[in-house]
Amino acid sequence: MRLEKWDPAEEAKRPDQEEEADHLKRVKLYSENMKLDEDARKIAQHDQNLLNAKRGINNSHHRRKANLKKKPRPGPETWKLRGAARPAWEVYDFDTRYVDPHIKAKEEAAEKATRIRNVIALCRGRFALDSDDDDKHDFHPPQPQCREFLSSLTQLGSLHLEKKNYSSARKAFLEVLELEGTSWPYSITNARTQLMNMYLETNRPASARRLWEQLENDGSAWIRYSAALIEYVSWNLLQEKGSTAETAEKLLTKAIRGNVYVAFFLGWRDTMDNAMEYTEELVEYGDCDSGSILEAIEYACSTGEDKGMGMWEGTEGSLEWVRSVILRVLNDDDRVCADQDSLTKADLLSWETKLSKEEESFDEKRNEQEEIQKTEDDIEGGRNDQEPDLLMYAGMFRTGMDWLQDAGDFLKSPSYAYLNDVEKKEEEMLDTHINQGDMKIQNVNDSSSGATGGDDEDSETETESDDDSS
């Protein structure tokens, strides 16, 4: 596909401009030829006068010259060659005034090619960028044409996916990823999400693994939590070589740092579901910002078998695994603080500050939109399209977290019933018991040290009294 960079109005004026330029060129050439003819006549008249003076005015030589002037000699265009020269005469046009239409078309095509740019080849990987965001390249992708093309291509993939044409849908989504680029932390389309959900639905973990490795910088919960789920299945259920509990927890940590709210929805599904209302509107709205509370609710309330919470509910022990990891970190943070890739208590407790920032930014944005809306209402009569109320959903999430804290769910010890390997289960339970025993021993030592300290003081006072009596 080629997108040509010219103005249609300017292109419509080009034939008139070329005709006017051609006319000016012919007029200029005619004036030059007239001047040359005049000079030639002057020279010829001068030579004629010399000949007349030399041979006489009635000489036959002058009469032949006069006849040639009245009836000029036929040019090469009138030649009809025969014999061995006939093939050359049939192929080659001896008329110098003749313009070959094929050569003229080639010249016009070459001139047109200088004004054409192959946008798909030149802007591959930068289709969603504006000219302000792309300073490293001289040629910037023309907007909004490139973004509209990405949108149309994503819609084509969605239609194929709805009809279960997985091969065609995969081809369209991969082309969107290639044109838009996989190194950007955001995407203007949902092609990445749909492709990941399609891989999970069709049970293609290897393709999903390659996809999240390409989208390493993507902060979407749909990508990161899907990667953690696949790694959990590979480690615990399938027990594949190379997949361990550490690798699964690293991917879960990366997902939690991208969107911490989803972790609490996964760990305490029933409680958070009771606290949430009007989630169907949010799921239909879609297109939520990465890392936001709205994205977490959309992900948690997508209960279909092929995406979101539905994939976690259909995987044995996955929700219990997330809850056990959260409880272990909240109750014993010293065990995981050494490694930067490990989950910490600060990562889990950061939801309050993040939610407060989201509420402040949403409140400011809503005030600005209300001021703009007033002016538009006066001019256009108002509009009904509104974004989801983030403050309402944030309040619901806070309510669910308060319920969990009041019930003491965050103080419970983690359960390892999700482990399929009995030896692993015993090791994990033994580690937790050892940690709890160490804490009890430390508390006993602290209390005993305080008691012994009091006894030492009493003995010191008794010796001092004995010395005084002596």
Side-chain angles (χ1 to χ4, degrees), residues 331-465:
N331 296 328
D332 185 16
D333 195 18
D334 297 334
R335 183 178 176 182
V336 292
C337 284
D339 191 0
Q340 294 181 355
D341 295 334
S342 299
L343 188 64
T344 61
K345 188 182 293 185
D347 296 331
L348 295 173
L349 299 180
S350 63
W351 67 269
E352 295 190 45
T353 56
K354 291 182 179 179
L355 192 59
S356 300
K357 291 180 180 179
E358 287 189 45
E359 290 173 341
E360 292 177 1
S361 61
F362 177 78
D363 199 8
E364 294 176 358
K365 184 178 179 182
R366 186 174 61 178
N367 294 334
E368 294 177 358
Q369 289 180 351
E370 286 179 355
E371 295 178 359
I372 298 173
Q373 190 76 18
K374 291 179 182 179
T375 57
E376 292 182 353
D377 289 343
D378 298 337
I379 299 173
E380 302 177 1
R383 287 182 290 182
N384 296 324
D385 52 340
Q386 294 181 356
E387 296 182 357
D389 190 357
L390 185 141
L391 300 179
M392 179 184 67
Y393 290 107
M396 295 178 186
F397 182 80
R398 291 182 186 276
T399 302
M401 295 298 290
D402 291 340
W403 289 352
L404 293 174
Q405 291 176 0
D406 295 340
D409 289 344
F410 295 142
L411 301 177
K412 295 180 181 179
S413 60
S415 174
Y416 300 98
Y418 61 90
L419 292 174
N420 286 336
D421 193 348
V422 179
E423 295 180 358
K424 291 181 180 179
K425 187 184 299 185
E426 292 177 353
E427 290 177 1
E428 293 288 345
M429 294 177 67
L430 182 61
D431 292 340
T432 54
H433 289 308
I434 290 173
N435 292 330
Q436 292 176 358
D438 293 340
M439 294 175 65
K440 292 180 180 178
I441 292 171
Q442 186 176 0
N443 294 331
V444 171
N445 292 333
D446 294 338
S447 60
S448 62
S449 62
T452 55
D455 296 339
D456 293 338
E457 291 177 359
D458 294 338
S459 61
E460 289 178 358
T461 54
E462 290 177 357
T463 52
E464 289 177 357
S465 61

Side-chain angles (χ1 to χ4, degrees), residues 132-151:
D132 299 334
D133 300 332
D134 188 13
D135 299 333
K136 299 180 181 179
H137 301 82
D138 297 334
F139 182 76
H140 304 293
Q143 301 296 352
Q145 288 81 7
C146 289
R147 292 186 175 181
E148 292 175 354
F149 181 73
L150 289 177
S151 177

Side-chain angles (χ1 to χ4, degrees), residues 317-336:
S318 59
L319 299 179
E320 290 79 3
W321 169 61
V322 176
R323 182 166 58 249
S324 66
V325 172
I326 294 175
L327 292 176
R328 189 189 65 199
V329 174
L330 290 176
N331 296 328
D332 185 16
D333 195 18
D334 297 334
R335 183 178 176 182
V336 292

Side-chain angles (χ1 to χ4, degrees), residues 3 116-127 134 137 139-142 179:
L3 298 178
I116 292 177
R117 295 291 185 273
N118 190 344
V119 178
I120 293 181
L122 294 176
C123 301
R124 187 176 300 274
R126 301 182 292 116
F127 253 54
D134 188 13
H137 301 82
F139 182 76
H140 304 293
L179 293 176

Side-chain angles (χ1 to χ4, degrees), residues 17-169:
Q17 295 176 356
E18 292 178 356
E19 184 178 358
E20 183 179 358
D22 190 16
H23 178 70
L24 294 175
K25 184 178 179 180
R26 289 197 301 269
V27 171
K28 183 179 180 181
L29 182 62
Y30 177 77
S31 61
E32 291 177 356
N33 291 337
M34 290 294 293
K35 185 176 181 180
L36 293 175
D37 292 343
E38 185 179 359
D39 295 340
R41 282 194 294 272
K42 290 180 180 180
I43 295 173
Q45 185 66 30
H46 179 69
D47 295 342
Q48 186 70 22
N49 293 334
L50 291 178
L51 289 175
N52 290 338
K54 183 178 179 180
R55 298 180 180 178
I57 194 169
N58 292 325
N59 195 287
S60 60
H61 177 76
H62 304 300
R63 289 197 297 269
R64 288 197 297 271
K65 290 286 184 181
N67 292 334
L68 288 176
K69 290 181 181 179
K70 293 179 181 179
K71 188 177 181 181
R73 183 179 178 180
E77 63 275 6
T78 61
W79 295 353
K80 292 184 179 180
L81 304 181
R82 305 186 184 280
R86 182 175 179 179
W89 170 72
E90 292 179 350
V91 173
Y92 183 75
D93 197 335
F94 289 92
D95 190 358
T96 57
R97 296 168 297 178
Y98 176 75
V99 178
D100 191 350
H102 304 288
I103 297 176
K104 185 177 181 181
K106 184 179 179 181
E107 292 176 353
E108 292 178 354
E111 182 183 358
K112 189 177 181 180
T114 58
R115 298 181 286 112
I116 292 177
R117 295 291 185 273
N118 190 344
V119 178
I120 293 181
L122 294 176
C123 301
R124 187 176 300 274
R126 301 182 292 116
F127 253 54
L129 297 182
D130 293 325
S131 58
D132 299 334
D133 300 332
D134 188 13
D135 299 333
K136 299 180 181 179
H137 301 82
D138 297 334
F139 182 76
H140 304 293
Q143 301 296 352
Q145 288 81 7
C146 289
R147 292 186 175 181
E148 292 175 354
F149 181 73
L150 289 177
S151 177
S152 301
L153 197 58
T154 305
Q155 294 177 12
L156 177 63
S158 301
L159 293 175
H160 284 301
L161 183 60
E162 186 177 356
K163 293 183 178 180
K164 306 298 182 181
N165 297 331
Y166 297 117
S167 178
S168 301

Side-chain angles (χ1 to χ4, degrees), residues 210-226:
R210 287 195 298 269
L211 178 61
W212 91 60
E213 288 176 354
Q214 293 178 359
L215 304 175
E216 185 178 0
N217 298 326
D218 194 300
S220 173
W222 299 88
I223 302 298
R224 294 193 175 186
Y225 278 94
S226 299

